[in-house]
Amino acid sequence: MNLFPPASCPRLVVKIGSALLVDPDGGVRRDWLEGIAADIAERVQAGQQVAVVSSGAIALGARRLNLPKGGRASLEDAQAAAATGQIALSQVWAEVLAANGLTAAQMLVTLDDLEDRRRYLNAAATLGRLLSLGVVPIINENDSVATAEIRFGDNDRLAARVAQAADANGVVLLSDIDGLYDRNPALPGAEHIAQVTQIDARIEGMADRGSASGMGSGGMVSKIEAARIAASAGVSLAIASGRIDRPLSADARHTIFLPEKRTRARKAWLAGRLTAKGSIAIDAGAAAALTEGRSLLAIGATAVRGMFFRGDLVTIEGPNGPIARGLAEYDAGEAQAILGTRSDDQGDILGYAPRAALVHRNHMVLL
């Protein structure tokens, strides 16, 4: 248990990719899964609370329905495969965990469930209660009704968001690769990166796009994005190989992404949200003020893009790119009307007393 031991990581999220859980013919890799269940049981017995984000429903369902291309030939096939495979996935997890004296619970979510503040808090409360009862939640996207999630989503990012909701201390992404390399690991001279302290352009440039197995939806790009989401909430994230037996108890090579300092729960939720409704461009002076912890005032805003309403999430774009996210205090049309103006003039423009800021610092997080 050298990776996120229970003594230093009271709550852990483990993500398992499709290629690890399902063989190329669409059957469950039962022996391997039983090893994972034994690993989880050891950690729970040592005092660690564990949640699992498990892929595999579409692959399992495709086999049972005899669908081509692993159930991904069309959106309708993927949804049908997910609806069928989710039952099989839940059943096998319940069986292997029960053999180790553990109770499994199923949670199906979409990214939308974690974007909406109220639904996010409901999910967090459910996760917290299950974990406190010693239950192992098995979480997956609700692909039977999702659309964009099946086409573009991945369980790497979902695992990071679940870690935020569960107030976890660590995330392990078990995959078909043992971490990040400075180039495609199939190329000569590729070097393994053991630790990442900051995700910058250099780290992003190392990502090899695509899933090596062709079975899942995530590649290294999605894993780095998951690490960024986790880091914003102060959660450590590791990429480790699941191509070995008992990967959660083995002392195997991996890449760990170290987090920033722990963030207030609301700001962690804002940082991890993925669907901004629009953006506000600002000048260099406003960008500097934001880094000092100030609110975004209209005087420093230069452009409004997109259609958003008060309370919607917006991205704040500095001269060199996105620097913050926050909840808009104005509708897009109102924000457009007061761009570059001082507070004393905004009442005459809007016809009512202006609010203190376009985006208040209490509802903003720096990226």
Side-chain angles (χ1 to χ4, degrees):
M1 296 188 194
N2 290 332
L3 183 59
F4 298 130
S8 59
C9 181
R11 190 168 283 183
L12 178 69
V13 174
V14 179
K15 179 263 181 178
I16 298 174
S18 298
L20 299 177
L21 192 143
V22 183
D23 64 32
D25 294 327
V28 175
R29 299 179 64 221
R30 184 85 184 207
D31 290 346
W32 182 88
L33 193 60
E34 289 174 350
I36 285 288
D39 281 348
I40 292 172
E42 287 185 0
R43 287 175 175 268
V44 171
Q45 290 167 6
Q48 190 173 68
Q49 298 174 346
V50 181
V52 176
V53 174
S54 177
S55 304
I58 293 177
L60 291 174
R63 182 190 190 189
R64 284 156 177 74
L65 298 176
N66 197 28
L67 293 173
K69 298 183 179 180
R72 297 181 184 272
S74 69
L75 177 61
E76 291 80 7
D77 279 2
Q79 291 175 323
T84 305
Q86 193 60 54
I87 293 176
L89 183 65
S90 300
Q91 181 178 4
V92 71
W93 271 112
E95 290 171 355
V96 297
L97 288 171
N100 288 275
L102 296 175
T103 300
Q106 182 190 58
M107 287 187 67
L108 295 178
V109 299
T110 66
L111 288 175
D112 284 345
D113 291 325
L114 302 181
E115 299 285 274
D116 179 87
R117 180 64 176 170
R118 182 175 296 177
R119 282 149 61 189
Y120 173 91
L121 292 175
N122 289 339
T126 301
L127 278 168
R129 184 56 177 154
L130 288 170
L131 290 167
S132 70
L133 291 170
V135 175
V136 180
I138 307 299
I139 304 146
N140 195 9
E141 284 185 312
N142 192 2
D143 290 338
S144 61
V145 298
T147 53
E149 285 78 10
I150 288 177
R151 292 177 179 170
F152 308 110
D154 58 80
N155 275 353
D156 297 322
R157 293 186 302 169
L158 180 60
R161 295 292 273 141
V162 167
Q164 289 178 332
D167 196 24
N169 310 90
V171 179
V172 177
L173 303 182
L174 290 179
S175 184
D176 47 13
I177 191 169
D178 60 359
L180 177 67
Y181 286 76
D182 65 348
R183 69 201 74 178
N184 187 322
L187 297 176
E191 295 185 6
H192 182 268
I193 308 298
Q195 180 175 293
V196 176
T197 57
Q198 182 179 9
I199 301 173
D200 53 20
R202 183 181 66 90
I203 295 297
E204 291 173 345
M206 296 178 185
D208 181 35
R209 295 182 180 273
S211 171
S213 67
M215 190 178 297
S217 57
M220 190 56 67
V221 171
S222 73
K223 290 172 175 54
I224 289 178
E225 178 60 24
R228 189 191 303 278
I229 293 169
S232 70
V235 179
S236 299
L237 181 142
I239 301 170
S241 174
R243 292 294 186 187
I244 56 176
D245 293 333
R246 305 289 299 268
L248 293 180
S249 58
D251 185 15
R253 186 164 68 172
H254 58 272
T255 297
I256 188 165
F257 293 78
L258 298 178
E260 304 165 9
K261 60 183 180 180
R262 295 289 283 184
T263 308
R264 287 172 53 195
R266 182 175 179 82
K267 292 201 172 187
W269 172 76
L270 286 171
R273 287 188 63 181
L274 300 171
T275 53
K277 297 294 186 180
S279 64
I280 301 174
I282 63 175
D283 59 28
L290 262 57
T291 62
E292 296 173 358
R294 300 180 186 176
S295 299
L296 173 59
L297 305 180
I299 187 68
T302 59
V304 171
R305 303 182 182 95
M307 179 58 67
F308 55 85
F309 298 95
R310 183 171 185 250
D312 283 343
L313 181 74
V314 294
T315 300
I316 301 171
E317 303 270 355
N320 298 316
I323 64 169
R325 283 182 171 178
L327 302 182
E329 292 288 341
Y330 289 92
D331 295 351
E334 295 171 323
Q336 179 69 47
I338 59 174
L339 285 177
T341 63
R342 298 183 180 277
S343 298
D344 293 344
D345 301 322
Q346 291 168 14
D348 293 335
I349 297 171
L350 296 170
Y352 63 82
R355 300 184 182 91
L358 289 180
V359 181
H360 195 277
R361 64 181 182 181
N362 289 346
H363 307 299
M364 181 195 309
V365 62
L366 296 177
L367 301 178

